[in-house]
């Protein structure tokens, strides 16, 4: 162990030495493309403008209010000694929620003066500054505990600072969001009150984490991105070096078992299993991962490190080619909120955390700036319009944490807040920043990346170029750009030709269009068709531009049917539908209460109709489908023709609770098998559903339940010595089976007996079996137990020292 520490120290000293040797080069290196700051872009369209205004007037004030109600802001006052009390909250990273919302509020101040908001931020900054310890340490859970020992440390922490930072203390995570918020506030207001707090904390980090000090890879990445932003604002290279040092600290720890396949034991959960330059596959917690990959892109650009670039190039290929949903969502497993194996993309149990979609946008934006290729903006756009916007209600004050692609009749409802509220606070800072993703520049070109009606003042080679963009995107593909440069000058306008407009669903073989793209993309300059050439997915328009030059782009927005790669088991025999950048879904509210009974086929033609008064103004798709049904007690399936209606995926779950599908069956066998199976069920309990469990006479001792999103409502278990039972219907003269549903990644100390009328019919010890999905196990019930009876009592009883369950489904079936 001592030898490993010596080797690590020598290695990291060499990294610092090499970094210092590269100082002159580092000062001139940066991204190939530069983003145009969001303060230079002012939207005035019907899509993004209402969302930006909702963020300003609803989301950010609401998020601040929730931080006050939940004690997140009060914790700073208590840590400062201004109030007596204990730490309030569920997690030690609650501080970061306040910082993220402050970042979003600063974005708004940069666009529109608001004296009230400005004063409120100063009042919170004052509390934060007083909560900061003399040496720069800022972490309310520990500081409150030091002031008042009766306020306990969170169980993720030890008495000494940083000891569990490699895991879940989130001490550097809080700091990273502090830096990002402080930089945003400084740029928005010019005031240093927040920035000075961040600098003081960052200086402490530099003293603590270095080759002569601690070598700990942060358990939750984000400080690396924050340090880079701090470096850009202050010019202090030590912050860039520390970001690099944190990344280089990965894969060096001897606390992990490299031979284990468990991501928590081998370090993959934290992306700490091997050095970052050796990583080629996206693994572990998806938010942690995308934040780290974003920081790696920063380092690749600012230090011209080709090894970093090679690593994230391969990781990007892995995500987009094997681990991304059609919605741009990533992180398919609820187990560790993590990436799964290649092509394992279940629909109903899809996790797709909203924060991960935001991280996907951040990563892809940096990859574009590094390489100047439109494919990265294609992925960003897909994630933005579907994976991100799905996470927030149109009202701006309700939120999704996971975003599954299939929901059963129990539905999925956005929440007002969460104990772990990373997603609401992340949305509060991300939505206001969206205009900053629309344009970019390099030494010879101005890039038009995203399409929305706006007016932009683009700094370019010491001059300003005013661009007015007119469009009804994402519903229509006509885009008009009017250019007004300060003086006539020759340069390139590079207009992104979206992959979907060229017949490519995504920049990989993971998803593809059934019929390709039939219409070409046309571009006119001042009314004349321009025969453009393309470079890296951009139409290159070279001209000596003068005032009022007009560019007209026509992007063919046909409705497209999409199929998944054959290796994606969850996509077998199914199709999804999209138009432009928007992915659609079938929802119960438009389809007589049910959508899981429908099929479409590869020849289905959909009609698009714009409904300005529906769900904030959307295009609705209508097309023919087949409905499958089977009456109870009958064996014949009835097939009838019916129309199916689709709405944008992001607009779902605004009209009550019910079924939703993104991937609609094409193969009838999917539905016939489901209907036949449903017809075989005699009785079933909807686990964790109060009404259903009451109807089935739930009883128990030391029993617990939990809710879930998707096609199953939740789980139930019983602690050591506990049990629970249900009464279920049976057939009195025929043998039946009990079927229990388990989560395939449950394991460990889950060991229990299964009884029917107090007669043991089975014993189950759960273990990790497959990828994040549900599995059924069948337990025959002897006829002598059910003969002459209408019901039996099914009891799940823990083996001493173990847990009974979790049980996600419980039903009686015909044998």
């Amino acid at each position: 162990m001592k030898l490993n520490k010596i080797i690590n120290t020598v290695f990291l000293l060499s990294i610092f030495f090499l970094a210092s040797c590269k100082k002159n080069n580092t000062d001139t290196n940066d991204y190939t493309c530069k983003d145009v700051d969001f303060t230079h872009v002012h939207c005035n369209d019907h899509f993004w403008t209402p969302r930006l205004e909702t963020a300003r007037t609803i989301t950010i004030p609401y998020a601040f209010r929730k931080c006050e109600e939940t004690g997140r802001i009060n914790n700073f006052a208590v840590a400062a000694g201004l109030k007596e009390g204990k730490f309030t909250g569920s997690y030690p990273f609650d501080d970061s929620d306040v910082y993220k919302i402050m970042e979003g509020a600063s974005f708004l101040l940069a666009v529109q003066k608001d004296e009230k908001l400005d004063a409120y931020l100063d009042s919170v900054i004052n509390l934060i500054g007083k909560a900061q310890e003399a040496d720069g340490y800022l972490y309310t859970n520990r500081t409150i505990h030091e002031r008042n020992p009766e306020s306990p440390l969170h169980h993720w922490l030890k008495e000494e600072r940083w000891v569990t930072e490699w895991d879940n203390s989130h001490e550097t995570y809080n700091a990273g969001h502090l830096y990002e918020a402080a930089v945003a506030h400084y740029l928005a207001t010019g005031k240093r009150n927040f920035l000075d707090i961040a600098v003081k904390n960052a200086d402490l980090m530099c003293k603590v984490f270095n080759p002569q000090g601690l070598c700990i890879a942060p358990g939750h990445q984000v400080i690396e991105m924050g340090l880079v932003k701090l470096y850009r604002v202050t010019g202090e290279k030590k912050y860039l070096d520390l970001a690099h040092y944190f990344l280089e600290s990965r894969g060096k720890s001897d606390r992990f078992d490299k031979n284990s396949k468990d991501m928590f034991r081998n370090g993959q959960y934290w992306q700490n299993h091997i050095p970052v330059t050796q990583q080629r596959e996206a693994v572990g917690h998806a938010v942690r991962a995308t934040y780290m990959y974003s920081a790696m892109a920063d380092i690749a650009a600012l230090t011209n490190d080709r090894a970093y670039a090679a690593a994230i190039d391969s990781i990007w290929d892995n995500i987009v080619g094997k681990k991304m949903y059609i919605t741009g969502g990533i992180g398919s497993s609820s187990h560790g909120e993590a990436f799964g194996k290649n092509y394992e993309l279940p629909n109903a149990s899809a996790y797709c955390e909203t924060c991960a979609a935001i991280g996907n946008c951040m990563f892809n934006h940096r990859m574009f700036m590094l390489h100047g290729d439109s494919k990265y903006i294609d992925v960003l756009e897909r994630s933005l319009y579907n994976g991100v916007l799905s996470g927030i209600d149109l009202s701006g004050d309700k939120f999704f944490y996971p975003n599954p692609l299939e929901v059963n009749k129990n539905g999925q409802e956005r929440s007002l807040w969460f104990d772990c509220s990373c997603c609401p606070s992340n949305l509060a800072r991300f939505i206001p920043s969206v205009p900053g993703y629309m344009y970019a520049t390099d030494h010879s070109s101005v890039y038009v990346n995203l399409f929305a009606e706006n007016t932009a003042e683009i700094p370019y080679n010491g001059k300003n170029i005013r661009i007015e963009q007119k469009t009804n995107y994402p519903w229509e593909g006509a885009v008009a750009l009017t250019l007004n440069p300060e003086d006539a000058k020759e340069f390139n306008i590079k207009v992104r030709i979206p992959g979907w407009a060229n017949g490519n669903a995504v920049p990989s073989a993971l998803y593809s269009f059934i019929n390709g793209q039939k219409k070409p993309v046309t571009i006119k300059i001042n009314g004349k068709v321009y025969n453009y050439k393309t470079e890296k997915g951009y139409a290159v328009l070279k001209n000596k531009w003068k005032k009022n030059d007009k560019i007209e782009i026509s992007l063919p927005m046909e409705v497209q049917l999409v199929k998944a790669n054959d290796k994606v088991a969850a996509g077998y025999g199914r199709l999804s539908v999209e138009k432009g950048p928007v992915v659609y879904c079938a929802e119960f509210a438009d389809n007589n209460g049910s959508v899981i009974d429908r099929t479409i086929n590869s020849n289905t033609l959909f009609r698009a109709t714009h409904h300005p008064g529906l769900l904030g103004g959307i295009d609705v798709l209508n097309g023919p489908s087949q409905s499958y049904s089977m009456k109870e007690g009958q064996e014949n399936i009835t097939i009838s023709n019916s129309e199916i209606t689709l709405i944008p995926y992001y607009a779902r779950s605004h009209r009550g609770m019910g079924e939703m599908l993104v991937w609609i069956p094409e193969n009838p066998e999917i539905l016939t098998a489901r209907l036949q199976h449903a017809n075989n069920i005699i009785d079933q309990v909807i686990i964790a559903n109060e009404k259903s469990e009451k109807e089935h006479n739930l009883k128990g001792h030391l029993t617990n339940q939990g809710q879930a999103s998707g096609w199953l409502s939740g789980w139930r278990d019983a602690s050591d010595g506990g049990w629970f039972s249900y009464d279920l219907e049976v057939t009195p003269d025929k043998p039946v089976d009990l079927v229990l549903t388990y989560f395939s990644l449950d394991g460990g100390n889950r060991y229990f007996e299964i009884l029917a009328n107090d007669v043991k019919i089975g014993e189950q010890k759960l273990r990790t079996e497959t990828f994040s999905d549900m599995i059924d196990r069948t337990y025959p019930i002897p006829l002598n137990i059910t003969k002459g009876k209408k019901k039996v009592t099914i009891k799940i009883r823990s083996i001493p020292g173990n847990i009974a369950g979790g049980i996600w489904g419980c039903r009686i079936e015909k044998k």
Side-chain angles (χ1 to χ4, degrees):
M1 185 177 295
K2 289 182 179 180
L3 179 60
N4 286 338
K5 288 182 178 179
I6 293 171
I7 293 171
N8 289 341
T9 300
V10 171
F11 177 82
L12 291 166
L13 278 167
S14 68
I15 290 297
F16 259 51
F17 175 75
L18 289 172
S20 64
C21 290
K22 292 181 179 179
K23 181 176 180 179
N24 293 332
N25 291 334
T26 301
D27 290 341
T28 59
N29 290 326
D30 209 337
Y31 282 110
T32 301
C33 299
K34 305 289 190 291
D35 57 335
V36 174
D37 192 82
F38 70 95
T39 59
H40 295 279
V41 183
H42 301 278
C43 292
N44 46 33
D45 66 338
H46 295 294
F47 191 89
W48 284 109
T49 301
R51 285 165 172 79
L52 294 169
E53 184 64 10
T54 297
R56 184 181 73 84
T57 60
I58 303 295
T59 307
I60 287 179
Y62 174 81
F64 273 134
R65 188 164 67 251
K66 296 303 290 185
C67 283
E68 292 172 356
E69 292 173 359
T70 58
R72 282 169 167 82
I73 292 177
N74 188 65
N75 283 335
F76 289 101
V78 177
L82 301 175
K83 291 183 178 180
E84 296 295 327
K86 298 180 180 181
F87 179 85
T88 304
S90 301
Y91 300 100
F93 54 71
D94 284 352
D95 294 358
S96 70
D97 292 330
V98 178
Y99 301 146
K100 282 182 280 185
I101 301 162
M102 294 176 74
E103 184 181 355
S106 298
F107 291 157
L108 296 179
L109 282 181
V111 176
Q112 183 173 329
K113 188 175 181 180
D114 187 328
E115 292 181 359
K116 186 176 179 180
L117 179 60
D118 191 13
Y120 180 80
L121 285 179
D122 280 342
S123 70
V124 179
I125 292 168
N126 181 56
L127 286 179
I128 294 170
K130 290 182 177 179
Q132 187 171 34
E133 297 186 22
D135 63 354
Y137 189 73
L138 185 52
Y139 188 79
T140 63
N141 185 267
R142 186 183 301 281
T143 303
I144 292 172
H145 171 70
E146 291 171 352
R147 285 185 171 276
N148 177 13
E150 292 184 2
S151 178
L153 283 175
H154 193 276
H155 65 268
W156 287 344
L157 310 180
K158 301 294 183 183
E159 288 290 338
E160 186 180 350
R161 294 177 183 180
W162 322 114
V163 172
T164 56
E165 172 54 31
W166 68 272
D167 185 9
N168 267 330
S169 77
H170 289 79
E171 287 160 282
T172 65
Y173 174 80
N174 285 357
H177 282 302
L178 166 69
Y179 305 161
E180 292 189 311
V183 168
H185 182 261
Y186 171 71
L187 294 175
T189 66
K191 293 186 286 189
R192 288 192 60 98
N193 53 343
F194 204 9
L195 185 64
D196 287 342
I197 295 170
V199 165
K200 186 176 181 180
N201 182 266
D203 287 346
L204 172 66
M205 295 290 184
C206 291
K207 292 176 183 176
V208 171
F209 297 95
N210 56 66
Q212 294 79 28
L214 286 181
C215 174
I216 297 177
H220 195 311
Q221 300 89 318
V222 84
I223 191 173
E224 301 87 348
M225 287 194 291
L227 284 164
V228 169
K229 290 183 179 180
L230 210 54
Y231 158 70
R232 289 186 181 280
V233 165
T234 65
E236 287 286 348
K237 188 172 174 291
K238 64 182 180 180
Y239 301 143
L240 178 64
D241 291 341
L242 181 57
H244 197 179
Y245 178 79
F246 276 135
L247 290 169
E248 288 296 328
S249 298
R250 296 187 173 277
K252 314 294 192 303
S253 175
D254 55 10
R255 63 171 46 93
F256 299 117
D257 178 2
K258 305 298 183 183
N259 297 317
S260 174
K261 295 182 179 180
D262 185 328
M263 64 180 171
F264 291 98
R265 295 181 179 178
N266 62 26
Q268 287 187 353
Y269 172 77
W270 302 271
Q271 296 79 43
N272 200 2
H273 52 304
I274 54 176
V276 293
T277 53
Q278 296 177 24
Q279 296 188 29
R280 294 294 184 269
E281 180 182 358
V283 296
H285 190 275
V287 181
R288 285 169 160 89
T290 50
Y291 285 0
M292 187 183 85
Y293 305 151
S294 296
M296 289 176 67
D298 287 341
I299 295 299
L302 288 166
T303 67
N304 195 27
D305 193 315
R306 296 183 180 180
Y308 271 65
I312 53 178
D313 284 348
S314 295
I315 289 168
W316 185 88
D317 286 341
N318 177 250
I319 293 173
V320 176
K322 298 174 181 178
K323 295 189 177 184
M324 185 177 74
Y325 282 93
I326 191 67
T327 58
I330 56 174
S332 53
S333 175
S334 61
H335 180 62
E337 302 176 323
F339 288 102
K341 296 179 182 179
N342 292 337
Y343 303 109
E344 290 182 316
L345 297 164
N347 296 317
S349 61
Y351 199 68
C352 293
E353 183 183 343
T354 299
C355 281
I358 291 173
N360 201 23
C361 289
M362 292 176 174
F363 176 40
N364 276 277
H365 187 232
R366 285 168 169 80
M367 292 296 285
F368 156 73
M369 292 193 295
L370 191 64
H371 295 300
D373 197 311
S374 72
K375 65 183 181 180
Y376 304 111
I377 304 297
D378 285 348
V379 176
L380 185 157
E381 182 182 61
R382 179 172 294 276
S383 189
L384 175 62
Y385 277 95
N386 304 291
V388 173
L389 288 184
S390 167
I392 187 167
D393 192 276
L394 293 169
S395 63
D397 57 2
K398 294 180 181 178
F399 311 94
F400 276 149
Y401 202 113
N403 296 271
L405 278 72
E406 179 177 336
V407 177
N408 75 352
K409 63 183 179 180
N410 297 299
Q412 186 193 19
E413 186 176 29
R414 292 178 179 87
S415 299
L416 293 170
W417 197 247
F418 306 99
D419 287 341
C420 174
S421 256
C422 54
C423 294
S425 56
N426 223 351
L427 286 161
R429 71 166 179 150
F430 183 74
I431 296 296
S433 74
V434 166
Y437 291 88
M438 294 183 178
Y439 299 97
T441 64
D442 64 19
H443 67 283
S444 63
S445 306
V446 174
Y447 293 79
V448 181
N449 279 331
L450 297 180
F451 306 107
E453 193 154 310
N454 65 75
T455 301
E457 295 285 345
I458 300 177
Y460 180 73
N461 290 341
K463 300 285 186 177
N464 280 337
I465 301 170
R466 182 181 176 86
I467 296 182
E468 294 182 24
Q469 186 175 157
K470 298 285 186 180
T471 183
N472 193 29
Y473 199 89
W475 314 121
E476 297 175 11
V479 180
L481 305 173
T482 302
L483 274 62
N484 279 289
E486 285 190 19
D487 53 24
K489 195 170 186 179
E490 186 174 285
F491 58 90
N492 297 329
I493 295 289
K494 289 188 174 181
V495 178
R496 180 176 68 96
I497 306 301
W500 54 259
N502 272 334
N504 300 311
V506 294
S508 73
L510 188 56
Y511 305 107
S512 59
F513 292 151
I514 294 292
N515 297 316
Q517 182 58 263
K518 299 176 183 177
K519 298 179 181 179
V521 177
T522 59
I523 296 178
K524 295 180 181 179
I525 298 180
N526 296 327
K528 295 181 179 180
V529 174
Y530 186 84
N531 294 319
Y532 59 87
K533 294 182 179 179
T534 59
E535 292 179 4
K536 294 183 176 181
Y538 287 92
V540 182
L541 314 181
K542 188 173 184 178
N543 195 17
K544 187 174 183 180
W545 301 101
K546 59 186 184 301
K547 290 186 177 180
N548 295 317
D549 277 345
K550 190 171 185 178
I551 302 169
E552 296 170 275
I553 306 116
S554 178
L555 303 172
M557 273 203 177
E558 300 175 346
V559 178
Q560 295 282 6
L561 298 177
V562 184
K563 66 177 181 178
N565 188 293
D566 290 342
K567 295 179 181 178
V568 180
Y572 171 76
R574 297 174 181 268
L575 300 172
S576 66
V577 184
E578 62 182 63
K579 176 176 174 282
V582 179
V583 174
Y584 282 73
C585 69
E587 191 178 39
F588 73 100
D590 307 297
N591 296 282
N592 298 318
S594 180
V595 296
I596 62 173
D597 59 350
R598 307 293 187 90
T599 63
I600 58 175
N601 59 58
S602 58
N603 297 315
T604 300
L605 297 176
F606 283 95
R607 309 179 306 279
T609 307
H610 191 67
H611 292 254
L614 178 63
L615 298 169
I618 60 171
D619 270 13
V620 174
L621 306 183
N622 293 96
S625 71
Q626 291 74 46
S627 296
Y628 286 67
S629 62
M630 177 186 287
K631 292 184 179 180
E632 187 174 348
Q634 294 185 351
E635 295 185 2
N636 294 326
I637 295 174
T638 301
I639 305 173
S640 59
N641 294 323
S642 60
E643 186 168 81
I644 190 169
T645 299
L646 309 181
I647 64 168
Y649 172 75
Y650 76 77
R652 76 194 199 284
S653 298
H654 284 90
R655 297 170 293 173
M657 306 279 278
E659 298 173 357
M660 183 277 297
L661 276 181
V662 170
W663 289 98
I664 304 168
E666 177 189 23
N667 187 339
E669 293 180 3
I670 295 174
L671 288 187
T672 55
R674 185 186 66 80
L675 287 169
Q676 289 167 350
H677 177 260
N679 196 44
N680 203 41
I681 296 174
I682 299 170
D683 194 10
Q684 65 178 333
V685 185
I686 301 175
I687 304 293
N689 179 287
E690 183 179 0
K691 180 182 177 182
S692 180
E693 290 193 320
K694 185 176 181 180
E695 289 173 349
H696 291 86
N697 193 28
L698 168 67
K699 293 181 180 179
H701 175 60
L702 299 178
T703 182
N704 315 283
Q705 70 170 52
Q707 300 299 321
S709 300
W711 61 283
L712 290 172
S713 61
W715 51 264
R716 178 167 292 283
D717 67 19
S719 304
D720 176 23
W723 59 271
F724 58 95
S725 68
Y726 300 110
D727 294 344
L728 288 101
E729 294 180 3
V730 295
T731 52
D733 55 348
K734 295 181 180 178
V736 296
D737 290 331
L738 169 68
V739 181
L740 297 178
T741 302
Y742 306 117
F743 186 49
S744 62
L745 289 175
D746 278 345
N749 62 336
R750 292 170 171 85
Y751 187 24
F752 48 91
E753 298 175 326
I754 302 114
L755 302 96
N757 282 356
D758 289 325
V759 177
K760 183 176 176 180
I761 62 170
E763 188 175 280
Q764 185 70 53
K765 188 171 186 177
L766 298 184
R767 60 182 178 84
T768 300
E769 296 196 29
T770 61
F771 173 72
S772 185
D773 211 343
M774 300 298 169
I775 51 177
D776 287 339
R777 290 289 180 266
T778 300
Y779 308 91
I781 302 178
L783 182 58
N784 67 308
I785 294 176
T786 60
K787 190 171 183 179
K789 297 181 176 66
K790 293 183 179 181
K791 291 184 177 182
V792 297
T793 299
I794 300 298
K795 179 182 284 188
I796 312 297
R797 185 171 64 194
S798 66
I799 300 292
N802 290 270
I803 294 173
I807 308 298
W808 292 77
C810 177
R811 61 185 183 268
I812 300 293
E813 292 186 358
K814 301 174 186 175
K815 190 173 278 291

